[in-house]
Amino acid sequence: MTRTFTLGLSAGPAFPLDLEHSLNDSQRAAVTCTDGPKLVIAGAGSGKTRTITYRVAYLISRGVHPAQLLLATFTNKAAREMLSRVEALTGREAAGIWGGTFHAIGNRFLRQHSELAGLRANYSILDDEDQRDLIKVCVTDAHVKVEEKRFPAPALLQDFISMAFNTQRSLSAVIEERAPHFAMWMPEVERIAARYEAKKRAANALDYDDLLRFWLRLVEDHPEFAARLGRQFRHLLVDEYQDTNLVQARIVERIGEHNGRNLMVVGDDAQSIFAFRGAHYDNILRFPERNPGTEIFKLEVNYRSTPEILEFTNASISCNSRQHRKTLTAHRGRGSLPVVLPVNDAFQEAAFVAERILQLRDEGVALSEIAVLYRAHAHSSLLQAELIKRNIPYDVRSGVRFFEQAHVKDVVAFLKILDNPLDEIAWRRLWLMLPKVGGVTAARLWEALAQAADPLDAVLGSPVLERLSMSARPAFLRFQKDLRALRALLDRPPAELIRAVPETAYGDYLRAKYDAFQARLEDLEQLAVFARPYRTLRSLLSELILLGEVYGRATAAADGDTERLILSSVHQAKGLEWKVVFIIRMCEGAFPSEMALREEDGEDEERRIFYVAATRAKDELYLTHPLMDLSPRGNGGMLLGPSRFLREIRFTLYEQGEIDLAARPAWEDG
């Protein structure tokens, strides 16, 4: 029999909460609701954080001790922000609240109950680099014979193992879906994964996923522990529930079974866009089914965007069939319609965006209040080149600047040695990508080439093989074959040469080194598009070098300058907002992603990504779609249709833009 005692708040004056003036009706209803399972569908810009923090403060004002609240978030920054807001509202320390990321909270439980979890309390936590290093050891111990077939890099193995756990699927199923070209290595991968688990246990070490793995075991394999947590936490609150994976949802809902289902989950199913990281859409969509009696609240008043932008985005997301339906309404006054602008091709698109950004700056809009969003990082390549030419400072939020990416530099290294075989740095970069070739071997190879009249001929000759170990020779023979094929294309346009590089063994290198290697191939295709105007390899390389020099100067000059344009993938932009947003490459095959459409429910997820992009805009929204695809081989192009996400929106909800070529704006010159 359990005896219950009531623990009140520490001594101190009661604090007032101005719920009437601080919250709108829907926020107030969610904040002051009774016990039981609650689902808060918080639309974009609807005051989600305010609602959660007021809910926590309200519960404390009603006598719930802070230590009886568990608030799970997805970033430490979000947890700190919410807890600081609670302290500002209550005037009391919020340190007693169990707030933080799932992994941080799981770690606290495991430290306290390590023996029950089958762990020692002094376990180490492996960071990403530690995990990759340990996997390298496992690969070595497994004596994998890679020979000419490249084995997945440790970072890829790490991703596969993590995805299998977070989606609760088999390792073979994950590899079959994400990287079927590694299916031949499945027995070796499974052996390495098992060895990795064993080594972690032997080292008394956990990786990030283990913090969830053992927490899940505690609540599922030890009902008494789950019941204890249910008694400890009178209320569970989870932010961004649409981003939870299966494991995270199982943990919190299992605890909720033992506290009267006092579980409030907050999020927006229309902004569920992280399936590629393991987020499970049904967690938020079917929450009421799994938790009978769930009361649903919808926050539909948007404080960010104009009515015109919201009408546009509402029309788009309404096309998704599986969703918690809602209609965002604007708190702000009327503004301008979104502009949909067809452009000839990606070059004209980049020129228009750059020119319009300069006009907006002249109109008083700070560069930091403008963002260009895109579905794939590769879509920003031509725009980055245009911004550099126009001396417009910018930050890239979607990855490394295009021309500084490793795989772009790799391909440029191929181009450099074909144009200038004396380029030692380019040769070394290529050699070090070959199996069994390290720094010492690369130095020996260069010694053999340095005295040659034509280093390229020397590399292709047989004497150079004598500088290599027997194990390195098969890959080098393939390298020689590839160089001969590339040299035969020297009289062709540079774009063709660029497209030929991924067809060599370098393509196998990309597949083995990178997750989602298709994105890297798309980057290289965009490099080929960039190269189309150049008739000679030397003229292209000169331009690339000059762009690099401008890069360095622009970056250094802008280090202390906050006025910088933002370039970002849509995924990186989630949760942010800008006065003016451009969404580029709004054409079929680009947005929605052609690859994503092949996946189950892929179109719905792509539409949610588009919805997230459009709802980042506060005042102005521009959407551009090229009419001609410059990617296909040859001198011609392929006609492109506007994205289905534009075609399905009623034409009265946007303004059709056009470019007046007769006016010959500045960006058309040259």
Side-chain angles (χ1 to χ4, degrees), residues 126 131 134-142 144 151-154 156-165 169-172 174-175 185-201 207 210 213:
L126 305 175
Q131 294 170 44
L134 185 56
I135 289 174
K136 286 180 186 177
V137 173
C138 295
V139 173
T140 301
D141 290 350
V144 177
F151 191 70
L156 277 183
L157 293 173
Q158 178 186 11
D159 288 342
F160 296 153
I161 293 169
S162 180
M163 180 61 71
F165 168 71
R169 294 188 297 164
S170 68
L171 194 54
S172 59
V174 169
I175 290 179
W185 292 112
M186 200 58 245
E188 289 83 358
V189 171
E190 289 181 330
R191 192 165 75 247
I192 288 166
R195 187 180 293 269
Y196 174 61
E197 291 300 317
K199 280 188 174 292
K200 284 188 296 180
R201 299 293 81 78
D207 61 22
D210 287 330
R213 188 194 317 275

Side-chain angles (χ1 to χ4, degrees), residues 70 109 113 116 214-234 236 250-261:
L70 188 151
F109 285 132
H113 306 280
L116 186 62
F214 284 96
W215 186 10
L216 178 64
R217 287 182 188 175
L218 282 177
V219 298
E220 290 196 336
D221 297 348
H222 302 279
E224 73 284 358
F225 178 77
R228 184 190 308 172
L229 292 188
R231 292 191 298 271
Q232 178 178 348
F233 298 110
R234 289 175 59 184
L236 309 177
R250 280 168 58 182
I251 289 171
V252 295
E253 292 185 29
R254 181 57 57 90
I255 297 173
E257 293 173 2
H258 297 277
N259 77 341
R261 295 191 186 275

